[in-house]
Amino acid sequence: MAKAMISLYPKAWRQRYGEEVADVIDARPARVRTVVDLVVGAADAWLHHRRVPGAGPLRVPLATILACAGAGLLLLWNPGMRDAADLASLHGVWAEAAGRGMLAEQLHGLARLLYATAAAAAVLSVVPLVFTCLTAMRRSGDRVTRITAGRIFVTAVLLAVPVAMIGLGFVGMAFLDIGYPVGPLGEAMVGGFLVPIIMATVLALPMMAMGVPSLGSYVRGTGRILMGAAVTNAAAWLCVVVLLAMGLEQASWSFVGIMAVSAFVSMYMAALVVRNAWGRGRTVLDRLKPA
């Protein structure tokens, strides 16, 4: 078990010290203290990763970042909207904003429309890629292209289920008043918590396609449409911020803090999706250029 603890260390550390430490472990009887020391040492090695000779920058996988950001948005939505004090702020802010005239109603409708547009754009961004893969599965003369296209198409079919569920959840809460009663302000902002998750989900398809140069233009096109979705998401958040400012007197500090963090995470997540889709598309297209 003690030797297995070496796998907890960074790769650069294992390459530099792994064999030496394994020999030391073999020369001594296994003890609980040895295992504890190795676990503590692994934590220290990760914290001081750059001190190891030959170690490169520590990179967190994109999927991990997006998964954590998406989970964070869902957590911010649920406790933030369902806590008694924050729920009171949610309704109080809207009542204060609505009392200032028709602008609140207009911003409410505009925010929902922008979020719906961003969600639709995210889904439609991968449609050309999916249909191209469907054609490539049957007609491409390259075996690698056919296999990759098949995997992308199957993945698209599988991802359609969670994307549809998220989309229906958004429509239900924002337009049909289904689910927890969050009021008009909640209807206006719920898209900001769900749209980036849809964008991150569909990103899996262009990421899979980057290994096929002939699909590079479709990957780049997906990135271009996702960029529009990210900008639309940010514009919708601006509407929500204005609504919050109009009723700020009725908002608790915790509610304001939750909204600020939520807006940042939402826009950061969308920007990260765009950056990777656009960048990967450019990389694939660069491979097609003559040297």
Side-chain angles (χ1 to χ4, degrees):
M1 182 177 180
K3 291 184 67 175
M5 294 298 103
I6 297 177
S7 62
L8 298 176
Y9 285 74
K11 182 178 180 180
W13 190 98
R14 296 197 306 270
Q15 292 175 341
R16 177 66 177 83
Y17 304 110
E19 292 184 5
E20 179 181 347
V21 173
D23 291 339
V24 173
I25 294 174
D26 288 337
R28 297 180 179 180
R31 297 177 179 176
V32 174
R33 181 178 178 180
T34 303
V35 175
V36 173
D37 288 342
L38 287 171
V39 172
V40 173
D44 181 74
W46 281 105
L47 290 174
H48 303 94
H49 177 72
R50 295 303 299 273
R51 294 182 182 179
V52 180
L58 184 60
R59 300 182 184 275
V60 180
L62 174 65
T64 301
I65 297 175
L66 292 176
C68 291
L73 283 176
L74 293 178
L75 289 174
L76 286 167
W77 170 255
N78 288 325
M81 298 301 99
R82 301 188 183 191
D83 179 81
D86 289 330
L87 189 59
S89 294
L90 184 68
H91 294 293
V93 168
W94 173 255
E96 180 73 16
R100 297 179 181 272
M102 291 297 297
L103 179 59
E105 288 287 351
Q106 294 171 349
L107 290 172
H108 168 261
L110 180 59
R112 293 190 301 168
L113 177 61
L114 289 173
Y115 283 131
T117 302
V123 174
L124 293 175
S125 69
V126 296
V127 170
L129 174 62
V130 173
F131 277 100
T132 300
C133 289
L134 182 60
T135 302
M137 289 167 54
R138 297 176 293 180
R139 300 181 181 179
S140 177
D142 181 64
R143 181 173 178 272
V144 174
T145 299
R146 290 198 307 271
I147 294 175
T148 304
R151 290 174 178 173
I152 293 173
F153 183 78
V154 171
T155 303
V157 173
L158 295 176
L159 291 180
V161 176
V163 169
M165 292 178 63
I166 297 171
L168 290 174
F170 164 62
V171 172
M173 286 184 282
F175 295 95
L176 303 179
D177 197 23
I178 297 175
Y180 198 84
V182 293
L185 183 58
E187 295 171 357
M189 70 173 63
V190 64
F193 295 83
L194 300 180
V195 168
I197 298 177
I198 295 176
M199 294 177 63
T201 303
V202 302
L203 178 64
L205 302 181
M207 295 289 283
M208 294 175 65
M210 68 168 294
V212 181
S214 60
L215 298 177
S217 60
Y218 295 97
V219 176
R220 188 71 176 271
T222 298
R224 189 178 294 113
I225 298 175
L226 286 174
M227 181 180 295
V231 172
T232 306
N233 178 65
W237 269 111
L238 180 60
C239 296
V240 173
V241 169
V242 174
L243 282 172
L244 181 60
M246 292 173 64
L248 191 59
E249 295 179 0
Q250 301 297 323
S252 65
W253 285 110
S254 62
F255 181 77
V256 174
I258 288 174
M259 291 301 98
V261 173
S262 300
F264 172 79
V265 174
S266 176
M267 289 186 284
Y268 172 77
M269 188 175 176
L272 192 60
V273 169
V274 172
R275 176 186 174 187
N276 280 272
W278 183 271
R280 298 302 174 91
R282 184 173 58 186
T283 300
V284 175
L285 289 176
D286 287 343
R287 296 176 184 172
L288 298 176
K289 296 180 180 179

